[in-house]
Amino acid sequence: MSSSSSSTVASSISSKNSSVKEDTTDSRIQELNQRLSMAIGTTKKPTVDGLNENHNRLNMHYISNAYGYTVYYSVGATAKEFNASTLASETPYATFNKTAYVSTAAAVTAVNHHAQETGLPVIDLGSGVQGTIERGAGQAYLTWQAGRWSVTVHASPVMGQDPVAMSKQLVALFNQYSLPIPSQVGAGNFDVTDNGLNQTIAWQEGAILYKISARSAETAIKMASSMSR
């Protein structure tokens, strides 16, 4: 990747685009975040729900341990109390996890960052972004770098899948939504197949790992972007 292309991509993914408007939601997530802060303390968390509709039926519960916590986001038939016991039976559309590791190095390893390899076929993804694609054993991985971030899209050619179309869609989204700036590395790992919470965005800040997992790549990106503000 040329230095000019790298700069263009890094600015699109790591710098806030002032022309992007805030997501239009009701006050439901703000209300639930206030309850979450009362339970676990004031700490970083997504400030948008990542949904395109049904904001008023957003539900949230969490579990915690000595190392951090996981917040579960779901859309129910009705809006329920924060952390209601019945929410465990609702299928989450996204989760947010904060984990404290013993060292910065351990947190960096947990990010699952993918360095872009040389000698692989180069794919033009638009907006000055070039990725490399690796194929083998019935799998395909398309990866590109953006500042401290790596982005990888997985597809299965034996299932008739190709990662290029989704990668171009992601580049367009990253032109709209900025991501947080990691201390060292961050990684977006996406899959062409919508199979549970397999669209992930993770980054480290010191020895802390933040991770958002969602059914929709767009949802994950919107939620992560809200933490860059």
Side-chain angles (χ1 to χ4, degrees):
M1 182 183 297
S2 67
S3 59
S4 60
S5 295
S6 178
S7 175
T8 299
V9 181
S11 64
S12 71
I13 194 170
S14 297
S15 301
K16 188 175 186 297
N17 187 328
S18 61
S19 66
V20 177
K21 296 181 179 180
E22 299 282 341
D23 286 344
T24 302
T25 68
D26 61 13
S27 61
R28 178 68 174 163
I29 190 166
Q30 284 76 26
E31 172 192 342
L32 293 174
N33 274 345
Q34 289 177 356
R35 299 291 301 276
L36 180 63
S37 294
M38 291 174 63
I40 62 175
T42 302
T43 184
K44 292 184 178 183
K45 61 182 73 67
T47 59
V48 304
D49 57 28
L51 297 170
N52 292 321
E53 59 184 358
N54 299 321
H55 306 288
N56 62 333
R57 291 194 280 120
L58 172 69
N59 287 319
M60 184 190 298
H61 72 284
Y62 79 99
I63 59 173
S64 62
N65 56 36
Y67 306 101
Y69 55 84
T70 300
V71 183
Y72 298 82
Y73 303 83
S74 58
V75 175
T78 60
K80 297 181 180 179
E81 287 293 320
F82 169 76
N83 222 37
S85 59
T86 55
L87 293 179
S89 63
E90 287 191 357
T91 301
Y93 69 85
T95 63
F96 168 61
N97 175 258
K98 176 185 177 183
T99 304
Y101 284 83
V102 296
S103 66
T104 295
V108 167
T109 299
V111 168
N112 197 23
H113 180 273
H114 299 279
Q116 192 166 10
E117 297 184 28
T118 59
L120 295 174
V122 176
I123 306 293
D124 182 4
L125 300 175
S127 299
V129 181
Q130 291 185 324
T132 56
I133 189 164
E134 181 178 7
R135 295 185 175 92
Q139 309 300 317
Y141 296 88
L142 201 162
T143 299
W144 67 97
Q145 303 294 309
R148 299 172 185 173
W149 286 84
S150 70
V151 184
T152 299
V153 177
H154 167 258
S156 178
V158 296
M159 300 296 292
Q161 300 172 352
D162 186 275
V164 176
M166 183 177 187
S167 296
K168 290 181 177 180
Q169 292 170 359
L170 290 175
V171 168
L173 283 170
F174 289 136
N175 283 335
Q176 290 183 279
Y177 298 97
S178 61
L179 293 183
I181 300 176
S183 297
Q184 294 187 33
V185 294
N189 289 293
F190 303 97
D191 202 295
V192 171
T193 303
D194 178 5
N195 185 21
L197 303 174
N198 63 341
Q199 317 296 347
T200 67
I201 297 176
W203 68 100
Q204 56 79 224
E205 296 182 11
I208 302 296
L209 175 75
Y210 295 103
K211 183 176 182 179
I212 294 175
S213 304
R215 289 184 170 274
S216 159
E218 182 176 354
T219 293
I221 291 169
K222 288 179 177 179
M223 293 178 74
S225 177
S226 74
M227 295 180 64
S228 70
R229 301 167 190 162

